[in-house]
Amino acid sequence: MIYLDNAATSFPKPGRVYSEVLRCMQEYCGNPGRGSHAMALAAAEQIYSCREELAAFLGLSAPERILFTLNTTHALNFAIKGLLKDGDHVLISELEHNAVRRPLHRMMAEKSVTVDVFPVLGLTCEQIIAGIAERFKPATKVVICTHASNVCSAVLPIASIGSLCHEKGIFFIVDGAQSAGVYPIHMKKMHMDALAIPAHKSLYGVQGCGVLALGERISLDPLLEGGSGVDSLSTEMPADPPERFEAGTLPTPAIVGLLEGVRSLRNGMMEQIAARERSLFLAARERLSSLGMQIYAPEYEGAVLLFNAPNVLSTELGRYLSSCGICVRSGLHCAPMAHRALGTPEGGAVRISFGRYNTLADIDALWRVLKNM
Ligand code: PMP
């Protein structure tokens, strides 16, 4: 089996992730924060280590502002619904995933929130910034955008967008689903007020865990209420993060998996992986072009390549590749505005996405299968 669907979820994981998840489940998986016995304390300690590791990794000074969620979508829902009030105006990019688009759609219906979209593809950083600035209104509360697209390898100029937002006193929320673990992130230097990331993609953790990291100046209403292990007499959620936002039992095994995944990226490993993914992209672009495949936004070079074969439905091609032992994603990739901007057909396109364990041999195998189609 050749796995080329790392943008959906990475596979396989580093050995240290598997071993720690198993060790957690076998040795110390008490309920964190819900007791003072050794197992509960050991779980809580590991969770705190993960907050510290992530805070350092993301350029955030306060580990307690690392909030654990189920996934990126959950984190984005938290940020969007916890921040927006009646009549707020929001700016998003044309590349946004449904994890941003759908919660906003609900806010439009329920809170009279208004949303405008700024273009990104084919534009320089200056043009993108100008496009955002010209859409600001007095009611603009926040700019929300993805750091790296999930349909092509476009990366947004996050630090410049953040700087513009802060100059204007506007909040900045970033969807880091495709960038965390691939590109360096420093929330403070990049002026991010909130960052939503998954454990299960390029941080090489397991499914069931995501993170909402909060900068210093943003405050949100909690989305969920419930047990937190502290202030039990109160009918309200605790005042301070992380407990204010983490109702119910946390997924300890997934959190320790994330901790090991992030540790596995230390000492320049993240940069090495990103360079390898780019080299695989270049090889795939060259081989697929030689077969006459249509490649979308080929000028953006990174971990994601979107293409179609002439006169073949992308879903059919995806099924064919699967029958040959190659895992890709086909169709629409939860980002309909991006598909429109890229000009893919209604049936979408095939996405191949690389991870740390892919090799040139995987690209050659894909090329052979497509050549013999
Ligand atoms: N945003 C982007 C850009 C994504 O690629 C994805 C995953 N496809 C998400 C959000 C949602 O991530 P999750 O599955 O972790 O909720």
Side-chain angles (χ1 to χ4, degrees):
M1 183 68 81
I2 290 171
Y3 189 78
L4 290 171
D5 196 17
N6 291 278
T9 198
S10 60
F11 180 84
K13 313 293 179 182
R16 63 191 290 167
V17 171
Y18 294 125
S19 359
E20 193 59 33
V21 171
L22 189 62
R23 195 173 81 82
C24 169
M25 298 199 69
Q26 290 176 328
E27 294 179 22
Y28 63 87
C29 204
N31 197 322
R34 306 294 196 280
S36 50
H37 57 79
M39 296 264 283
L41 293 178
E45 206 171 293
Q46 280 286 70
I47 288 176
Y48 197 74
S49 297
C50 190
R51 289 190 213 278
E52 287 181 316
E53 182 80 27
L54 279 166
F57 184 71
L58 299 172
L60 200 64
S61 49
E64 60 280 2
R65 294 182 78 81
I66 295 289
L67 313 177
F68 293 111
T69 61
L70 277 175
N71 47 43
T72 326
T73 305
H74 187 196
L76 284 165
N77 268 268
F78 244 114
I80 290 169
K81 293 174 183 165
L83 179 69
L84 292 178
K85 302 274 183 281
D86 276 333
D88 285 339
H89 174 247
V90 183
L91 280 175
I92 62 173
S93 88
E94 66 184 347
L95 296 180
E96 293 320 298
H97 190 274
N98 279 339
V100 167
R101 211 174 134 253
R102 286 183 172 161
L104 281 177
H105 188 75
R106 176 139 178 214
M107 293 289 94
M108 287 165 79
E110 289 181 1
K111 297 219 175 221
S112 318
V113 162
T114 53
V115 178
D116 278 309
V117 179
F118 60 90
V120 168
L121 288 176
L123 301 184
T124 61
C125 171
E126 289 69 31
Q127 289 168 328
I128 294 172
I129 296 296
I132 296 172
E134 76 192 22
R135 287 171 173 81
F136 280 149
K137 294 180 179 175
T140 307
K141 172 83 150 279
V142 58
V143 171
I144 309 175
C145 68
T146 192
H147 186 174
S149 171
N150 65 312
V151 289
C152 64
S153 283
V155 176
L156 273 70
I158 288 299
S160 305
I161 300 175
S163 167
L164 172 72
C165 288
H166 277 201
E167 221 174 85
K168 305 279 182 203
I170 287 167
F171 289 111
F172 185 37
I173 298 177
V174 177
D175 174 354
Q178 298 297 338
S179 62
V182 182
Y183 300 109
I185 293 178
H186 195 293
M187 287 185 64
K188 204 166 183 173
K189 289 188 189 153
M190 293 170 151
H191 310 280
M192 295 182 193
D193 292 299
L195 169 72
I197 58 174
H200 64 101
K201 297 186 198 259
S202 294
L203 294 176
Y204 294 95
V206 300
Q207 297 172 7
C209 175
V211 170
L212 178 63
L214 294 181
E216 284 160 13
R217 55 170 214 149
I218 197 167
S219 78
L220 302 175
D221 293 332
L223 191 62
L224 298 171
E225 285 81 26
S228 62
V230 296
D231 286 348
S232 286
L233 284 175
S234 173
T235 48
E236 307 276 326
M237 288 303 282
D240 297 319
E243 289 85 2
R244 180 165 180 72
F245 300 99
E246 292 175 345
T249 302
L250 290 175
T252 311
I255 292 171
V256 303
L258 171 60
L259 173 58
E260 290 307 314
V262 176
R263 284 178 174 161
S264 79
L265 298 172
R266 285 174 177 172
N267 302 324
M269 188 51 83
M270 182 172 86
E271 291 74 12
Q272 273 181 44
I273 297 170
R276 181 199 189 85
E277 289 172 350
R278 183 169 171 272
S279 71
L280 293 174
F281 175 97
L282 298 180
R285 186 178 66 186
E286 190 260 315
R287 289 183 184 42
L288 297 187
S289 303
S290 74
L291 294 174
M293 303 288 159
Q294 175 168 12
I295 298 172
Y296 299 95
E299 67 279 20
Y300 295 102
E301 298 165 357
V304 174
L305 189 151
L306 192 72
F307 75 99
N308 264 322
N311 307 316
V312 185
L313 255 180
S314 74
T315 42
E316 265 173 38
L317 187 51
R319 267 195 295 275
Y320 168 70
L321 291 172
S322 176
S323 74
C324 301
I326 300 181
C327 303
V328 301
R329 173 130 183 234
S330 56
L332 298 167
H333 306 283
C334 305
M337 295 185 298
H339 278 274
R340 229 168 284 138
L342 286 164
T344 66
E346 266 190 21
V350 177
R351 180 183 74 185
I352 52 176
S353 49
F354 316 111
R356 69 198 289 171
Y357 298 111
N358 287 122
T359 63
L360 210 47
D362 297 337
I363 309 302
D364 286 337
L366 174 71
W367 174 78
R368 268 194 306 277
V369 162
L370 289 172
K371 188 164 173 278
N372 298 328
M373 194 164 63

